[in-house]
Structures are given as structure tokens and as C-alpha cells.
Amino acid sequence: MQRILSTFIIFVSAFLLFQIQPILSKELLPEFGGGASVWSTSLFFYQSMLLLGYLYAHLLSRYQLKRQLFIHTLLVALSSIITFNTIEVSLFLSLTPAWSVIAKLFLQVGLVFMLLSATSVLLQRWYIESTAMTVPYQWYSLSNLGSLLALLSYPFIFEVLFSIDEQKSYWTVGLFAYCILLLCLIYVLFSNGSIADKAITKSKTTLLVKPNWLWIAFSATSSMMLIATTQMISINIPPMPLIWALPLVIYLLTFSYAFASAKSYNRAHWTYLLIFSAFAGLMMFFLGSQFNALAQLVIYSFILFIVCMICHGELRKLAPDGSLLTVFYLYIALGGVIGSLLSALVAPLLFEQITEFIVALAVALSLFIYTLLTQTTKTSSCYKIALLATLVIWGTGYSYLFVNFNQYNLASERNFYGYVTVKDITTSDFAERRLIDGTTIHGSQPLNKQTELTNSYYHHHTGIAKSLSALKKQQDLNIGIIGLGAGVLAKFGDKFDKIRFYELNPAVYNMAMNYFSYLTDSPARIDVAIGDGRITLTKEQKNNAPLMNALIIDAFSSDVIPTHLLTEEAFQLYWQRLTKGGLLIIHISNNHIDLMPVLQAHSKRFDKSLIKFNYSGTQLGSQWVVMTNNQAFLNSIAMTDLSPITPYSTVHLAQWTDQKHSLIPLLKL
């Protein structure tokens, strides 16, 4: 009975751990601009709590079993009471976005996450203490399977069917079920007479044991690769639970497989796959944006799978005996924290691109070659030389590609919200300066100011130009624009017009001011508000700021549109900030997401007419949608300028709210 209860509790705790991660991270997205860094920072927090959980299990195991049970039960009961703490701390105002994410997560689930993460190690420890059996490492595999089920079920079931508040309520029910199961296990242990005041072995009283440095190195490498891969995928595909879950599922799946049996991993089978993956990673780093969403997911997932399989397989080979069980897990968790720290917090300070992806590949390849050279006795000299030559060729290839792909860079900057680059591109057809956010052009300017800007989302044939031109015939512009880019839209303003930009990323503002002249050249009155557009608009609404006659939503981060700008509550705010007959203009050019089901649902909900412009006459085709009840404006638009709109049935409309929305039905794979 003890074995059955223990395995079931481990499974439930793992499910709860990995179910709460996407719930809270998704809830935080609107507060931090909807960027991918929310998830990478969250992963650092979760792995830090995992480390604390393993440290707690290691320290607790130094006591007699009866005392361990009492302390753990007391702390679990306390954590159940304070979970989802909603206390706000004014200190958040002085924290960076990354540390604000960490602080908010800690207040909500810090203690309970630490205790749940300790469950697997503690129950294995209790089992070998009460039964004198060998270490059940396969339970660690079971724990990862519970995590996998949580991650896979969330984007396809819980996110689609339930609101965030409902998800948190159901999770709380699961937590109480965990508490009841834990009490049942304690009852069984007492009933079986397993709680004996046994002497504590010397090995258990040792607080710190010198680790095998490879425990930390392999764990850190797989963790760094996990976060870096997620960041690479999220450059072009919106940050959402499905995209978060897929890399983490691969990470856990390889852990589960490697630890299921000591014979699961055979080093010889993976050598050539790792070499292939390393070179495939180089290709994706520089050319990944050229592939569609499905191809990117498949290739990045394959690379991550190979790297994690090798790292976790080597960890299983290095696993010690039962006396060092908690120490081994503790150092694995330490490696995970180091890897996530380097990827989530340190890398944005060191690198202007997501270079940590390349670093993780290089470290994985180097560690694996080192292991082959030092721990394989039958390796020939030619084979060793070939491995080292492969590493040199790979490094040379990266250097060559880096120089060639960055030769046009004028300036680059990276922060919590992404990375932006200014490039001067000169060809036989044009010479222009481009602002690139991730892999997407967010505005360009001819190097010769006399040249007309034609290869752009904003030239005079596009929907935005035609819409503003029609509006100007009625009245002077008093418009808001969420998303600054290079400031190209400022060129549409005259001396009687007012244009207010809302820009989340300070780096974008710096680039627009220092390397482009749209903001300074415009005769209109230009104002730029730094901060999330929706949050700033809410403050303006509370302060009764003057209404605008048009609001433009152009808030891309690469190919990503923050979902919190497209919910029913967001649209309600937009109409409050617009005059009667005002225009809501939305840029929906996107390679991976079809937003029309969302916009059609909102047009019906708010009883507004919906028209669509689609221009594909240049390399940068554009799609713009206008929502309004301004009949004079609608009558002034020529039918030949409009693109037909495919009507969706009520069943297929996407009724997005802050509490409930999913991108999965809208993916263009």
C-alpha cells in the first residue's frame, strides 16, 4: 500500500507543479507586454524553487523519519492556506520586469511550489528508510510522466475550456487532494510500524558533498538549451502555453526515458545525431525565420530532443547509490538553476541576439566529446581527432555565418522585451535603413530622402495610408498608435495633427530617435509614451484624457501580436478612448496567426462595421483591418481597395476575453 500511495502522490504532485506553471505565466503576460521573456523568467523561478525543494528534502532527510513527516505535513498545510496570495508590494515599482515576474510568482506559489517539488525525492527517501529497499529511480520517471500529462493537457483542454480563475480553482482542489493523499500515506506508515526511531547514518548528516562536476554541467546545459530553444521558437510564433509546453515536454520526456532504466541510454547511438543537430542548430539560428511555423517547431524540437537526451542520459549513467540520493538530485537542480539563470537573466545582458542558443549547442557538443574521450576506453586515435575536428569546423562555421549575417548592422540592443537591430541595406534596387525586431522589419527609411518608400507596410497603397487619408478629409488627425517601430506613421501627420505613440520597449524608442528621422521630421505634434499601450490607455481613461478619432494597433514583436491587446476588455477600452465615429485600425499581417475570427467576433459584439485592406504588390505585403460605425468614412473607401472577408459561423468565431483565449485554433501551420 505504501508503494502505491507513494507513486500516486508523486504523480499528483508533478501534475500540480507543471499545471500551475502555464496558468500563472499566462496570467502575467498582459502585465509585461505579452513577451516571451515572461516564460523564460518564470522557468528560472520554477527551477529555483525546485532547487530549494531539493535542498529542503536534503536537509529534512537528516532528521528521523517521524520528525520529517511532522515538519513536512505542517508546512504543506501552511502553504495550502497562503497559496495564490494577492498581496501587492509597492517594491514591484522599483524592480526590473524580470524580477517583478519572479516576485509576483513567489508571493503566489513560492512555498507550495517548493514543497511540491520536494515530494518525489522525499517519498523515495522515506521508502528506502522504511523498507530498506534500493533507490526506486523509476519513480523519478513517473514524476516526469505526471509533468508531461499536465503540460500536454493544459493547452488542449484546460486553456480551451476554462477561464484562468476556473483553472486556479480546479488546481486548488487538486492541491487539497494531494494533502489528503499525503495524510493517508502517513497513516499507512504509522499503521505498518514503519516509523521507527532509527539511527541517522553518517552519510545523511553530511550537509554538503563534493559533487561530480558533470552532474551540474549536463543539467545546466539541458536547462539552458530548453530556455534558449523556447526563445528561438517565440521569435516568430506567439508566446502561448502550447509553445511553452512543447520544449518543456521534450525536456521532461528525455528525463523520464533516461531515468526509467540504466539501460535506456546508449551513448554510441547518439553521437552522430548530436553532430547533425549542432549543424542544424547553426542553420536555424541564422535562417530559421525562412521556415513556416510547423517546420520551425519540428526542427527546433528535434535539436532540443537530441541535446536533452544526451545530457539526461549521461546524468543517469552518473547517478550514485542510495546514500547520495538527495545530494544527486540537489546538484541536478542546482545545474538547472544555473542554466536557466544564464539563459533568462544573464544572456540578455551579455548578448545582443539569442546567442545563448549557440552557446548551449557548443557546450553540449564539447561536454559530449569530453565524455567520449575520457570515459570510453576503446576509442581510436582517428575517431578522437575526428571529433575534435568536428568541433573546430562547427565553431568556424558559426564565426563565418555570424560575420556575414551581421555585416550590415548599424546598432543592436536587447532587453526583457526582445532584441532590435538597425541595418543599412544597399542593393541594386534600393538603399534603405531598417529597424528589425527579432526577424521582422518594423519600419524602414530610404537612405536617400528623395527616394519614395515603396517596400513597406506603410506606403501610400496600403490600408493604413488609405484609411488615414480618408479620415483627414473629414477632420484633422488626433490619433493614438500602439507600437512605435521606426516611427514611420508619423509621416502621415500635418501641422494641425496630433499623434501619440505608445511603445512598450524603450530600445525601440532609442532606435527610432537616434537612427530614423520620422519623429523629428513630422510637422505634426508628436508624443511618445513608454509603457504597455493598454495599461497607459487605461490610465488616460481614468484621468479623462481627450478622446482620439483613430486608434491604430500595430504592436508586433517580430511576428507576435500580444493577445491582451485583442481581448473583449481591450476593445471595450479602445471604444472608450475613441470619439463617436472613431476608427479602430489593426495591422494583422502575420505568417502564423489568422486573427479574422477574433476581429469578426468583436465587430459583432460591439456592433461595428469591419473592412479589410490587403496589399501584396511588394515584398512586404500588408493586411489592415478597420472597425468603425463612421458611415461617411465607409462610403469614402472605394470597393476596389478592399479585400473580401470570409464570414465565419458563430461556432468558429473566437470570443476572446482576458480570462479565456487560445491561439491554437488560429495557427496557420
Side-chain angles (χ1 to χ4, degrees), residues 56 71 86 122 167 213 231 255 288 291 298 326 555-556 595-596:
Y56 159 77
I71 294 174
T86 57
L122 274 179
Q167 294 166 25
W213 69 274
Q231 289 274 39
F255 242 133
F291 296 85
V298 171
T326 57
F556 287 80
L595 291 172
M596 288 307 296

Side-chain angles (χ1 to χ4, degrees), residues 446-510:
L447 294 176
N448 181 354
K449 291 190 177 181
Q450 305 303 317
T451 304
E452 183 182 2
L453 184 66
T454 57
N455 188 36
S456 166
Y457 296 121
Y458 312 103
H459 64 79
H460 64 278
H461 291 299
T462 61
I464 182 63
K466 293 180 182 295
S467 297
L468 292 180
S469 176
L471 182 62
K472 282 176 66 68
K473 293 176 181 178
Q474 297 182 11
Q475 54 193 299
D476 294 330
L477 297 182
N478 179 16
I479 63 176
I481 304 172
I482 298 181
L484 172 63
V488 183
L489 289 175
K491 72 177 185 176
F492 292 106
D494 294 330
K495 63 179 181 179
F496 299 110
D497 298 330
K498 299 178 183 178
I499 301 177
R500 180 170 173 81
F501 288 95
Y502 303 86
E503 176 52 52
L504 175 68
N505 190 347
V508 172
Y509 175 70
N510 293 336

Side-chain angles (χ1 to χ4, degrees), residues 17 237 398 521 603:
L17 276 174
I237 303 174
Y398 168 73
D521 289 348
S603 71

Side-chain angles (χ1 to χ4, degrees), residues 72 90 118 141 186 234 242 275 278 282 437 497 507 537 601 627 651:
H72 188 66
S90 58
S141 177
I186 294 173
S234 297
L242 175 63
I275 293 173
L282 274 185
D437 190 336
D497 298 330
L537 286 171
M627 226 180 272
V651 176

